[in-house]
Amino acid sequence: RAPLRAILRLLPGVAGGTEAAPRRKSILRNARGNKEAPRMHASGRRHIKWAKVVVDTDDIAREERVEREALSERRKANNSHALTALTLGRVPCLCYEQLTIPIRVALPELVLRSPTAITLDVVVDIVELVHMTVTLRAKAGAPGGLTATAEAAAKHSWRSRVAFVALELAGILCLHIGRGAEYTSGVRELFIAAQALRLVRVVQLINYIREVNEDMTSDVKILAAFRFMLVLISVPHWVACGWQLVADRRDYALPTWISQYEIFTENPKYDPHTMTDWESYLMALHISWAGLTALGYGPLVIHRELEVLYAVFVSVLQIVFYAFVLGTLFHYIVRVDESTVHFQEVMKAVDKYVSDRALPTQLAARMRAHFEFQHRKQASGTKRIVSQMPLSLRSEVAVEQ
């Protein structure tokens, strides 16, 4: 009866009595599965054996859906890898931008007509445009079917992204149009005003560092070293550009700080009227580090009201700068792991125990191996991780091991 029931299930409207059998499709296939070339008959005609195979159309549709989903996943993975590579290549551009913005405001002569600065600005803007295009395409191709809360969050994220893109485009246009205006008519106001729009890239650099910090797969030590070097270079650089802004550069008349160098050093090289912009920046960088490291400004006397207010701001910033630098150094260089110290104390106690009782060498080695294994087990956090897993998940992990 079993073969008869199997045949009846293939006939529509017979199996089950009330429900029609799934749609079937009769397909002629080569009995050899098209793996071998067809044999030739003695008369020269092709001799092919065909077999009639009954295939379920639902299975065919399921296979096609699985293939489409696999292809979509491969495309998403490729796009994700490309976006990650582009983001990593964008990080140096963002670092360059956050270092160049204060220079463009405080010492525009250094970057306005410099071929190197113009080339770097163009390259950075091209990378930013490519990243914006790829990001918008990825956001536009996000899957639907979200909940109301997730959809509202996606709309808010999309609006923020569009606002960032608008500010980026405005900053790019204002920068290059302002540079052209300075070439033709000597007007720098548009070029300097463009830096307020390009501050968006500083915000994006901070957001990127925060995202990498929240990623569990990131190397914490490499990220900490990058943040440490970025702060160690950027803060004195921005403070130096601020000292250039608060100086009275119209006629460099006393008592502005930049005019006091020539008086106290009696060196005509420090005459602010004949110094180059690069030498002026180095002087500002020196006074910046002097303020941030609490070394003092030496013989310089801060007289002008704007310079006094800026010196107060630098004093407050010095506290935060000290806390960050010293905290990072102590955390990653000076700080000692407490578990390692405890393990060393235990091993010293084991050695003393072995020597006091004159235990055999092999037994002492086994004791040391036991305590070393326990230390590695505790350091890996196996017990803490397993204790937080449900019983079903523990069982699956145990089976896989």
Side-chain angles (χ1 to χ4, degrees):
R1 295 181 180 179
L4 181 59
R5 289 177 182 172
I7 294 174
L8 291 177
R9 289 194 187 97
L10 299 178
L11 300 178
V14 176
T18 57
E19 297 181 359
R23 292 179 301 166
R24 308 278 174 175
K25 185 176 181 182
S26 179
I27 301 178
L28 287 177
R29 291 183 178 174
N30 194 330
R32 297 181 178 273
N34 292 328
K35 292 183 179 179
E36 298 180 1
R39 293 180 297 175
M40 301 298 295
H41 195 265
S43 61
R45 299 177 180 178
R46 291 185 176 181
H47 181 71
I48 304 174
K49 289 183 179 181
W50 296 93
K52 189 173 184 180
V53 183
V54 180
V55 183
D56 192 348
T57 54
D58 293 341
D59 293 339
I60 297 176
R62 190 181 301 109
E63 291 177 0
E64 292 177 352
R65 185 173 64 255
V66 170
E67 290 179 358
R68 288 196 300 269
E69 290 177 356
L71 180 61
S72 177
E73 290 295 332
R74 286 196 297 270
R75 289 177 178 174
K76 289 181 181 179
N78 293 334
N79 292 337
S80 177
H81 293 327
L83 185 60
T84 302
L86 184 60
T87 304
L88 291 176
R90 182 174 172 242
V91 172
C93 298
L94 294 178
C95 294
Y96 163 80
E97 191 69 29
Q98 70 94 15
L99 290 175
T100 313
I101 287 175
I103 287 289
R104 295 183 187 134
V105 177
L107 297 169
E109 296 84 1
L110 282 176
V111 294
L112 265 172
R113 298 176 180 267
S114 171
T116 303
I118 295 173
T119 304
L120 290 175
D121 289 343
V122 172
V123 171
V124 168
D125 289 340
I126 291 174
V127 172
E128 191 64 26
L129 289 174
V130 173
H131 182 268
M132 285 191 297
T133 304
V134 174
T135 305
L136 290 177
R137 289 182 60 184
K139 295 289 183 182
L146 302 175
T147 61
T149 306
E151 187 175 355
K155 287 183 179 179
H156 178 71
S157 176
W158 176 259
R159 290 172 184 171
S160 301
R161 178 64 60 181
V162 171
F164 271 106
V165 169
L167 291 175
E168 284 281 2
L169 293 176
I172 292 173
L173 292 176
C174 290
L175 179 76
H176 297 287
I177 293 175
R179 180 174 271 132
E182 198 278 335
Y183 279 172
T184 56
S185 59
V187 178
R188 300 179 179 178
E189 283 73 11
L190 182 60
F191 180 82
I192 296 175
Q195 311 315 312
L197 298 173
R198 296 176 80 92
L199 285 174
V200 176
R201 299 187 179 179
V202 179
V203 178
Q204 291 177 350
L205 178 61
I206 296 173
N207 292 336
Y208 174 76
I209 295 175
R210 184 182 297 112
E211 291 175 0
V212 175
N213 189 33
E214 293 174 356
D215 189 359
M216 300 299 294
T217 60
S218 302
D219 193 330
V220 179
K221 293 185 178 180
I222 295 178
L223 179 61
F226 172 75
R227 291 171 55 186
F228 180 76
M229 294 303 300
L230 186 64
V231 171
L232 198 64
I233 295 173
S234 301
V235 173
H237 171 74
W238 279 73
V239 172
C241 293
W243 277 115
Q244 283 288 340
L245 285 175
V246 299
D248 187 4
R249 302 179 62 191
R250 291 171 297 178
D251 52 1
Y252 296 105
L254 291 172
T256 184
W257 70 268
I258 198 171
S259 300
Q260 298 181 30
Y261 266 92
E262 182 185 9
I263 296 176
F264 290 115
T265 60
E266 298 181 355
N267 188 349
K269 185 179 180 180
Y270 292 112
D271 184 2
H273 299 87
T274 59
M275 277 193 307
T276 63
D277 293 327
W278 175 248
E279 293 173 344
S280 179
Y281 169 75
L282 291 179
M283 289 175 56
L285 188 62
H286 168 260
I287 193 175
S288 170
W289 274 107
L292 289 174
T293 56
L295 295 177
Y297 302 112
L300 299 181
V301 181
I302 307 300
H303 284 284
R304 296 178 63 244
E305 181 179 356
L306 185 59
E307 295 177 358
V308 170
L309 293 176
Y310 189 72
V312 172
F313 167 75
V314 173
S315 300
V316 176
L317 183 62
Q318 171 206 346
I319 301 173
V320 182
F321 185 71
Y322 254 84
F324 177 82
V325 172
L326 295 180
T328 303
L329 291 177
F330 274 101
H331 184 75
Y332 289 99
I333 299 177
V334 182
R335 186 176 67 93
V336 181
D337 190 4
E338 296 179 0
S339 62
T340 303
V341 174
H342 178 69
F343 170 70
Q344 292 174 353
E345 293 176 354
V346 170
M347 295 307 294
K348 289 180 180 178
V350 170
D351 292 338
K352 187 176 184 305
Y353 182 86
V354 169
S355 61
D356 291 343
R357 288 160 178 77
L359 296 179
T361 306
Q362 295 182 352
L363 182 59
R366 289 172 56 190
M367 292 177 61
R368 293 184 62 87
H370 168 75
F371 285 102
E372 289 175 358
F373 170 76
Q374 293 296 330
H375 173 68
R376 290 196 301 269
K377 185 177 179 180
Q378 293 176 1
S380 63
T382 303
K383 185 177 181 180
R384 184 175 66 255
I385 294 172
V386 173
S387 63
Q388 296 178 4
M389 291 190 298
L391 183 60
S392 58
L393 189 56
R394 294 183 198 176
S395 303
E396 295 181 7
V397 172
V399 170
E400 291 296 330
Q401 290 179 347

